[in-house]
Amino acid sequence: MMLRLLSTLLVAWCLGFAAFMLLLPPPLEGTTTDAIVVPTGGAGRIDRGLQLLRDRQAKRMLVTGVAPGVRPRDLARMYGTPRALFDCCVDLGADAVDTRSNAEETAAWVRRHDYRTVRLVTSDWHLPRARMELSATLGPRVLVLGDGVPGNVRLATLVNEYNKLILRRVALWVGWGQ
């Protein structure tokens, strides 16, 4: 009996992981939102967010999880973007250190600006969990749209992220850590 249960769980995990890998979210095209949120940590994320901002796909952008001491002018220089864009439309959040604290930092920023729609720009493999965290923190009042930045990561990273997604989904389902 126990062997069947474990076998069933293993098959379910494998099928779920296959779906996770095959359904990685693509970049979101042709959609305007009130705001853009970009958690630091992955290649191409900030570049994508800045391009969307330049294309007027949102009014303002938050880069969450920035290292303490990093200033807007530092990022403007690093990304070859006019400082005026950072001065008018980009906020930096330095309080977040992980996906959950990114969601908390973002939620406070979204509430402060009273935004109703948010485009979350992050790595395609990270987007399902990051979006789940942000949606859970913001609640149903704010629509969170995912914008996946394609990336090449190791299989071990995908397995780790899938396991985190499952564990966090279960934790939210039973009411832990909300």
Side-chain angles (χ1 to χ4, degrees), residues 37-107:
V37 175
V38 181
T40 59
R45 295 177 184 184
I46 294 175
D47 292 311
R48 171 81 175 151
L50 289 171
Q51 186 58 52
L52 291 165
L53 200 55
R54 282 191 293 268
D55 291 344
R56 293 186 169 89
Q57 294 297 298
K59 302 171 194 169
R60 193 160 196 84
M61 182 171 93
L62 169 67
V63 182
T64 176
V66 175
V70 173
R71 298 167 300 190
R73 67 179 173 199
D74 300 330
L75 286 180
R77 185 174 40 255
M78 181 182 292
Y79 288 95
T81 301
R83 189 164 165 204
L85 183 64
F86 274 82
D87 292 342
C88 85
C89 307
V90 178
D91 296 315
L92 304 182
D95 294 333
V97 295
D98 59 14
T99 303
R100 285 182 68 188
S101 57
N102 280 354
E104 292 164 4
E105 183 171 67
T106 299

Side-chain angles (χ1 to χ4, degrees), residues 25-27 36-46 48-49 99 102 119-131 145-151:
I36 299 167
V37 175
V38 181
T40 59
R45 295 177 184 184
I46 294 175
R48 171 81 175 151
T99 303
N102 280 354
R119 178 192 300 249
L120 177 60
V121 177
T122 190
S123 304
D124 55 2
W125 55 268
H126 181 248
L127 187 54
R129 185 168 59 95
R131 184 175 179 207
L145 301 175
D147 192 320
V149 176

Side-chain angles (χ1 to χ4, degrees), residues 12-22 155 158-160 162-163 166:
W13 184 93
C14 289
L15 291 173
F17 182 67
F20 173 77
M21 286 192 335
L22 292 172
L155 180 62
L158 290 173
V159 168
N160 188 39
Y162 179 65
N163 287 332
I166 291 171

